[in-house]
Amino acid sequence: MTLVRVVKIDCQSSSHRSLLSSITVTAMISIVIPTYNRNWTLIETIESLLALKTKANEILIVDQSAQHDHDTTNRLRHWSSEGSIRWLHRKQPSITAAMNQGLREATSPYVLFLDDDIRPNSEVIRAHQTEHEISPDLWATVGQVIQPWQKPQNCEPPRKLKGLRKDDDFPFNSTCVSNIENVMAGNLCVHRNRALSIGGFDERFIGSAFRFETDFARRLNNAGGTIRFLGHAGVNHLRVEDGGTRSEGSHLNSADPCHGFGDHFYALRHADSFIAGYAYCINRIFREVRTKYHLRNPWWIPVKLVGECHAFLQAYSATRRLSKLKRLTG
């Protein structure tokens, strides 16, 4: 249920300004936080969201952790019992499946996906909702994301990359407002029904699920939807090293195809032509071993090449199955 308090005041009065700042508003937004093997970081993220003046209609924690430490478990149970959060559980970790579960379970018309290791600015919820209200034809808004090494910058997107890499160079630490064709799922607000209409997030993306966000953005755009970046709807991303998608380990010295599958699958699925898709994949296979790390540790090159070749073959097979399914369903 959306709670709206309308107060008519004189904004020139300091006492009235104080009253305005104390008003709590509940937005028509459900926050969904997928989490995996995070403890104190998750707790502090939830605390920061509960402290906002503009609150979400609900906060869904889609928890894929086998267990938490004692303090974390107690806090989550307390919040869940008092109705501050909805604590959902998944046995099999998958970032895309967790996001889809949250999307289906949400009760609000808009769903804001946030990482479990962020600190929101005070206006993040209000800014997303306001933009959707002003532009009801929007399918999604993406908020500013500040990485630990970044600061907010008043910079326009370079728009130099094309094809499969369009908007890969978009500066998500920007303070501008711009329509874009890529997203970061750590601060992404979607129109729930429209996101569901394109199947949500593709659960074929495995492991760290690299490129699942760009795949979602491409499918959304192909369905006629618009995505808008909001430089004033920001979060600080802590990039905590333990837990999350970083649980998959380093891609530099691994033969696990999960690290490369997503990029190959994305390319084969969305390339403008057969040749463009395969050229992208071949270039990636060799690009992944042309790094400073592999120059210093050349014994890992064969290992990485094996992983990339397996990733390509898995992506090729998945793309063939997808094409066959499309033909069968018309």
Side-chain angles (χ1 to χ4, degrees), residues 39-237:
N39 290 296
W40 65 268
T41 308
L42 172 64
I43 295 303
E44 292 186 353
T45 295
I46 297 172
E47 286 177 337
S48 66
L49 293 169
L50 292 174
L52 295 177
K53 292 296 182 183
T54 301
K55 299 185 182 299
N57 182 41
E58 59 182 353
I59 299 176
L60 288 77
I61 307 300
V62 187
D63 197 344
Q64 305 165 91
S65 312
Q67 62 181 11
H68 291 287
D69 62 38
H70 180 73
D71 290 341
T72 299
T73 300
N74 284 344
R75 291 296 296 278
L76 292 172
R77 283 177 177 167
H78 172 71
W79 279 326
S80 180
S81 65
E82 70 176 14
S84 296
I85 67 170
R86 291 171 59 193
W87 191 14
L88 311 177
H89 300 269
R90 285 188 55 83
K91 290 184 178 180
Q92 184 64 39
S94 165
I95 179 64
T96 47
M99 292 176 71
N100 281 339
Q101 181 175 350
L103 186 64
R104 291 190 300 268
E105 297 256 2
T107 61
S108 307
Y110 305 107
V111 178
L112 173 58
F113 294 98
L114 295 173
D115 280 346
D116 59 1
D117 59 343
I118 59 98
R119 297 294 178 268
N121 73 23
S122 60
E123 295 298 311
V124 62
I125 297 175
R126 186 195 303 270
H128 279 293
Q129 168 144 331
T130 299
E131 197 67 28
H132 280 279
E133 290 174 343
I134 293 172
S135 304
D137 58 330
L138 282 176
W139 284 46
T141 50
V142 187
Q144 179 194 71
V145 178
I146 306 298
Q147 305 294 355
W149 59 88
Q150 293 178 327
K151 293 182 179 180
Q153 287 187 318
N154 183 16
C155 54
E156 293 294 325
R159 308 291 193 191
K160 292 181 179 180
L161 299 177
K162 304 296 181 183
L164 289 168
R165 298 193 63 200
K166 187 173 183 179
D167 276 346
D168 274 7
D169 55 352
F170 188 88
F172 284 93
N173 64 323
S174 172
T175 59
C176 72
V177 175
S178 174
N179 288 352
I180 59 173
E181 296 186 27
N182 198 4
V183 303
M184 291 188 73
N187 187 4
L188 169 66
C189 185
V190 302
H191 186 292
R192 179 176 178 272
N193 288 340
R194 290 169 182 165
L196 286 171
S197 74
I198 62 169
F201 302 92
D202 194 329
E203 296 181 20
R204 280 173 283 251
F205 285 85
I206 56 177
S208 59
F210 181 51
R211 284 294 195 177
F212 86 91
E213 298 151 308
T214 314
D215 169 81
F216 175 78
R218 284 296 181 101
R219 289 187 290 111
L220 188 153
N221 286 139
N222 291 340
T226 301
I227 305 169
R228 184 161 299 157
F229 173 78
L230 308 178
H232 53 293
V235 301
N236 287 287
H237 186 207

Side-chain angles (χ1 to χ4, degrees), residues 311-330:
F312 170 76
L313 292 174
Q314 287 187 6
Y316 173 79
S317 178
T319 307
R320 290 289 300 272
R321 290 195 299 270
L322 180 61
S323 298
K324 183 178 180 179
L325 180 62
K326 286 182 177 179
R327 288 196 300 270
L328 293 173
T329 56

Side-chain angles (χ1 to χ4, degrees), residues 1-6 23-28 55 57 129:
M1 179 180 294
T2 300
L3 305 179
V4 181
R5 294 181 61 185
V6 180
I23 294 173
T24 297
V25 178
T26 302
M28 298 185 297
K55 299 185 182 299
N57 182 41
Q129 168 144 331

